[in-house]
Amino acid sequence: MATLLLTLVLLVSLAFGIPIVYSFLLAAAITILLADTGISFTFMAQSMTVAVDSFPLMAVPFFILAGFIMGRGGISKRLFALANALVGHLPGGIGVAAVLTAMFFSAISGSALATTAAIGHIMIPEMVRVGYTRRYSAALIAASGAIGVVLPPSIPLVLFGVVTGTSIGDLFIAAVIPGILMGLALMGWVIVHARRNHIQASTRSTGLERLQALRGSIGGLLMPIIILGGIYGGVFTPTEAAVVAVVYGLVVSLLFYRESTVHEILGTFGRSAISTSGLMVIVAAAVVFGHFLTIEGVPETLVSSISGVSDNPTVIILLAVLLLLLIGTFMDTIPAILLTSPVLVPVLAEIGMDPIHIGVVVVVLLAIGFITPPFGPNVFIAADTAKVSSEKVLVSIVPGLLLLIGVALIVSFVPWLSMVFISS
């Protein structure tokens, strides 16, 4: 009774367009009032407080702040200059460079929305200038932005690690190859599109030009190396690494690039605080919702139900893939992880999947939700930047969407891609 009421209120709330955080809290509150769950409003408040009182979770606001600082510090155009120098001569030229720029920036921001917004304003005008249509340019930028939550320092991977007790450092390392595969798939899409539409490549850069572009972007490129090297080398924890990222971002922006004033950089603190506060409220509300599911035995029920459908690992993985793709179409990555992880980890672990591999699969599949309606925020950001309707962008993005789903399936069924660098 309680589970049915909880789920029904949540679905009705979402259907009426109520924000996900309020939908979680409303479902919990109505269930407390109408069902005998043994949970009180006092327990609900305590659970919300405890949920965000977590040392590992502190990595999230610091990584968000680091991304804002590096984005404001002029790194985006330098990353594009490097990407164009490296791959601009390939078929598709600027388009291929746009994907590579997104990959570079993803390794700094840890956010799909930040990546899409930061590179969109630079790349879309450049792509249109060389012959790409506005709708295709926006579609490519939106799809490339999804890589932002896969490559470390991925904020969703941090949350998955916190929720499931999985090593965040190992999750970061495990996500590198899947994130690169996503980028390569989109580059292939660009090359085919460019050849069919006779879009010219850029002039091949000389060795000196590439060296100059590398020197100009080295300040930004070093950050993911420092973060991953420090975490995996045991120098600092993921939370400490996030603080290091903030300090490093301040040094690079104010002393190395010098494109922003102290006042402008301080402005990123306010924007970061707003983003963080909204995220933490979602985390707290989702934890309360999860407590209801746990008390009602929903994870155990789903494990037995899915196992009852089939004991074939392939079938179980496909069911999990379909579930995550569906959830990603209407729910942000953060609440989706908080909602599904307690359920899916036991199911997939039972068929032999490593929790590290599970975390990467979950995040890769949910990342696709950034370009699928009705959620698809990357599409709306890129469409607005390109001054084209989101409906046209959604039509143009279909090939890229199918390619990313293909990569997600490969990552799901080939554990080696995620686990090759993880020590047993």
Side-chain angles (χ1 to χ4, degrees):
M1 169 59 184
T3 303
L4 179 61
L5 179 62
L6 187 73
T7 306
L8 183 61
V9 174
L10 176 65
L11 294 177
V12 171
S13 300
L14 292 173
F16 276 95
I18 298 176
I20 185 69
V21 59
Y22 301 121
S23 296
F24 278 143
L25 294 176
L26 183 62
I30 291 179
T31 304
I32 289 175
L33 290 172
L34 302 181
D36 183 17
T37 61
I39 296 179
S40 65
F41 284 106
T42 300
F43 177 80
M44 181 175 168
Q46 291 172 338
S47 297
M48 293 180 69
T49 302
V50 172
V52 295
D53 184 19
S54 165
F55 180 74
L57 195 59
M58 287 176 62
V60 173
F62 284 110
F63 275 132
I64 290 175
L65 177 57
F68 271 111
I69 292 172
M70 296 293 279
R72 186 66 185 85
I75 191 170
S76 301
K77 64 181 182 182
R78 288 178 169 81
L79 292 177
F80 165 62
L82 175 62
N84 194 41
L86 293 175
V87 300
H89 63 281
L90 297 176
I94 297 294
V96 178
V99 178
L100 186 57
T101 304
M103 295 171 69
F104 286 153
F105 196 83
S106 296
I108 294 169
S109 70
S111 164
L113 300 182
T115 300
T116 303
I119 69 172
H121 288 283
I122 295 173
M123 300 306 309
I124 290 177
E126 288 292 325
M127 291 181 66
V128 172
R129 181 181 62 80
V130 300
Y132 289 97
T133 63
R134 289 185 177 276
R135 64 167 68 182
Y136 180 81
S137 301
L140 179 64
I141 296 302
S144 302
I147 304 173
V149 294
V150 177
L151 287 174
S154 163
I155 293 169
L157 283 176
V158 173
L159 286 173
F160 181 90
V162 171
V163 172
T164 63
T166 308
S167 167
I168 296 173
D170 284 348
L171 286 168
F172 280 0
I173 296 295
V176 171
I177 291 180
I180 291 174
L181 287 178
M182 293 171 73
L184 292 175
L186 294 178
M187 288 180 187
W189 177 34
V190 174
I191 291 172
V192 172
H193 177 87
R195 284 177 170 168
R196 286 179 176 175
N197 293 275
H198 309 290
I199 297 174
Q200 298 299 315
S202 303
T203 304
R204 182 186 290 271
S205 299
T206 65
L208 179 60
E209 289 171 334
R210 291 178 178 178
L211 184 61
Q212 290 174 336
L214 176 61
R215 186 163 48 215
S217 61
I218 196 69
L221 293 176
L222 280 177
M223 190 176 107
I225 296 174
I226 292 172
I227 297 307
L228 289 177
I231 293 174
Y232 218 60
V235 179
F236 37 66
T237 67
T239 302
E240 293 165 344
V243 178
V244 170
V246 171
V247 175
Y248 180 79
L250 289 171
V251 171
V252 169
S253 298
L254 294 174
L255 302 180
F256 192 64
Y257 290 149
R258 302 186 196 179
E259 286 198 7
S260 300
T261 64
V262 173
H263 178 73
E264 290 171 335
I265 292 296
L266 287 177
T268 65
F269 282 68
R271 292 193 292 275
S272 173
I274 293 172
S275 297
T276 299
S277 59
L279 177 59
M280 290 304 177
V281 172
I282 292 175
V283 170
V287 166
V288 171
F289 191 87
H291 277 313
F292 280 92
L293 297 179
T294 302
I295 290 172
E296 294 297 313
V298 173
E300 293 82 359
T301 302
L302 284 176
V303 169
S304 60
S305 298
I306 294 177
S307 301
V309 172
S310 173
D311 57 0
N312 187 322
T314 300
V315 174
I316 293 174
I317 292 174
L318 283 175
L319 288 173
V321 167
L322 290 173
L323 175 64
L324 289 166
L325 286 175
L326 176 62
I327 290 174
T329 62
F330 65 87
M331 188 178 293
D332 186 23
T333 309
I334 303 307
I337 286 175
L338 296 168
L339 188 62
T340 61
S341 296
V343 175
L344 287 179
V345 170
V347 172
L348 297 176
E350 194 167 285
I351 61 172
M353 285 183 70
D354 190 280
I356 300 294
H357 182 208
I358 296 171
V360 173
V361 169
V362 167
V363 171
V364 169
L365 286 164
L366 291 177
I368 296 173
F370 281 95
I371 57 172
T372 52
F375 179 59
N378 282 14
V379 172
F380 300 113
I381 291 175
D384 181 68
T385 303
K387 300 298 185 287
V388 65
S389 72
S390 56
E391 290 80 8
K392 292 180 178 179
V393 177
L394 285 170
V395 172
S396 298
I397 210 171
V398 169
L401 172 63
L402 294 176
L403 283 170
L404 292 182
I405 292 174
V407 170
L409 286 170
I410 293 171
V411 171
S412 300
F413 286 101
V414 184
W416 179 87
L417 295 171
S418 302
M419 304 301 294
V420 61
F421 297 121
I422 306 300
S423 56
S424 55

